[in-house]
Every structure is written in structure tokens, then in C-alpha cells.
Amino acid sequence: QVQLVESGGGLVQAGGSLRLSCAASERTFSSYVKGWFRQAPGKERQFVAHIIGSGTATYYADSVKGRFTISRDNAKNTVYLQMDSLRPEDTAVYYCAAGAIVSDQARYFSSWGQGTQVTVSS
């Protein structure tokens, strides 16, 4: 399985910004669908965004459209999630994931990072 490592989480005030990074262990990461998910304590895991292997098509959950941007740096085997206009309800552990199927369902992603905490204060 491809190894994924997230970074960039932290504490931020409402209205602020963070950029999350997901570094992959191998070049073949470029052929996967790359997704970001999040999970708050006591709640189910939620889809946030994904980008297809080509890096030209993206899809976002309604809750983050217009505020979050997913992007890819092919040379660095890295995917980013730029988060702007953050809200307290964005507070969660954010996970990077990779899979072979274009989907917003977590079960179709076969590789997962360990997660990075994002906390937004009101």
C-alpha cells in the first residue's frame, strides 16, 4: 500500500486559513484518486474533496465549496488542501486517502494517512 503522511494541521481562529499536505511514498501515487476526509469526535467520517490522477478534475463536498481547494504537485508526490474562511464546524481530524476508484465514499479508498488535527476557534 502507498504510505501517506499528513501535515499542516493546527489551531486557527474562525476566518483564518491552513494548508494541509499529504506526502506519498512513491511516484505511482499520481495514478490514484486522492481524497481528503475528516472526522469529528463522535461523528461519522465525512468526505471533503478529491482530485483524479491526472490532477485536472476536482470535486468538493457542499460544505466546503468555495472555501477549500485541493491541488497536486506531481513532482513532489504531494497533495494539498488549502482551507480558507475556516469555521468552528470545520474542526476535525483530517485524513488523506488514495484509491483506484473515483468516489466520495471512504470504503473505496485503500490507503490512508494517520490524520492531522484541525481546530477552529470561534
Side-chain angles (χ1 to χ4, degrees), residues 12-13 15-19 82-86:
V12 65
Q13 296 181 59
S17 298
L18 287 172
R19 189 175 77 161
Q82 177 67 42
M83 305 185 294
D84 298 319
S85 301
L86 283 162

Side-chain angles (χ1 to χ4, degrees), residues 4-71:
L4 305 174
V5 179
E6 304 97 333
S7 62
L11 304 174
V12 65
Q13 296 181 59
S17 298
L18 287 172
R19 189 175 77 161
L20 306 184
S21 298
C22 174
S25 61
E26 58 188 30
R27 277 180 52 200
T28 53
F29 184 55
S30 64
S31 67
Y32 287 76
V33 176
K34 278 79 69 175
W36 287 96
F37 292 78
R38 66 187 184 186
Q39 188 166 21
K43 297 186 177 181
E44 64 185 20
R45 184 164 46 189
Q46 295 181 311
F47 168 78
V48 176
H50 73 223
I51 186 167
I52 62 172
S54 67
T56 60
T58 59
Y59 180 72
Y60 300 90
D62 288 342
S63 60
V64 306
K65 284 181 180 177
R67 300 189 297 119
F68 291 10
T69 304
I70 187 170
S71 62

